[in-house]
Amino acid sequence: SEDVLLHAWRTRVVSRAREIVKKGGVAQYDPVNTSWLHQLPGLSVFQDGPRRAQILLMQAGIVMIAEPQIPGLAIDGAAFLDEDVPVIGMTIRKDDIGNFWFSLLHEVGHVVLHRLTGLTSGFFDQFEAQAVDEQEAEADAFASNMLIPEERWRRSTPRIASSPQVIEKFAKELGVHPAI
């Protein structure tokens, strides 16, 4: 039954993505151009950050659709190709800023890293499940490093003392929302 639910959810995401593409609001995806990538984490500080991210992604040739999950289906996000257009589906299963941005950047990681090695069949992710697949581990590392670069985290004060003031100061230095 989960396969049927997943298929129904994916069909809804594809239908909505095709409407956006049909209206002409999406640029041609260029896998070589990643200059837009580093702007994404910084959008987390804005109240309308998810909408800004959606616009930035469309300018980069990627369609992001927020589609509520179907009861009984436990996924956080998906990334796949539809008629050569990268599509990211977000369920927003957890109403949490940190989860949203990690999920989004994880799916962006699939688009950027795995366009030729799995994006055609798609990635459907549930973040409570342990990632045993190498591509899932790569997308996790991509998202983590985009949000909080590993070298910055290793030298950070919040790694040791996680008071709200320390976390907020570190988040401000990185230019990301403190929830991240």
Side-chain angles (χ1 to χ4, degrees), residues 29 34-46 48-60 62 64 88 90 97 100-112 142-143 146-148 174-177 180:
Y29 180 68
T34 58
S35 61
W36 55 272
L37 258 177
H38 293 290
Q39 296 175 50
L40 269 176
L43 298 177
S44 66
V45 301
F46 297 102
D48 65 341
R51 178 70 183 131
R52 290 179 187 218
Q54 185 179 42
I55 292 167
L56 179 64
L57 289 169
M58 286 192 308
Q59 291 169 348
I62 302 168
M64 180 185 80
I88 293 175
M90 303 283 293
I97 292 170
F100 171 82
W101 288 100
F102 180 83
S103 297
L104 176 60
L105 283 158
H106 176 96
E107 302 310 335
V108 168
H110 281 311
V111 172
V112 171
F142 177 89
M146 288 295 297
L147 293 167
I148 304 174
L174 293 175
V176 297
H177 193 282
I180 292 170

Side-chain angles (χ1 to χ4, degrees), residues 3-4 10 12 23 51 106 118 131 144-145 149 156 165 169:
D3 287 345
V4 171
R10 184 185 189 282
R12 179 66 181 141
K23 290 178 184 174
R51 178 70 183 131
H106 176 96
S144 294
N145 281 305
S156 74
Q165 297 82 8
K169 182 179 182 229

Side-chain angles (χ1 to χ4, degrees), residues 6 14 19 31-32 43 45 47 70 76 83 91 110 116 118 120-121 129 134 142 144 158 161 175 177:
L6 181 60
V14 166
E19 288 174 23
V32 177
L43 298 177
V45 301
Q47 185 75 20
I70 298 170
D76 293 290
E83 299 175 358
T91 64
H110 281 311
L116 300 175
T120 303
S121 56
E134 184 179 329
F142 177 89
S144 294
H177 193 282

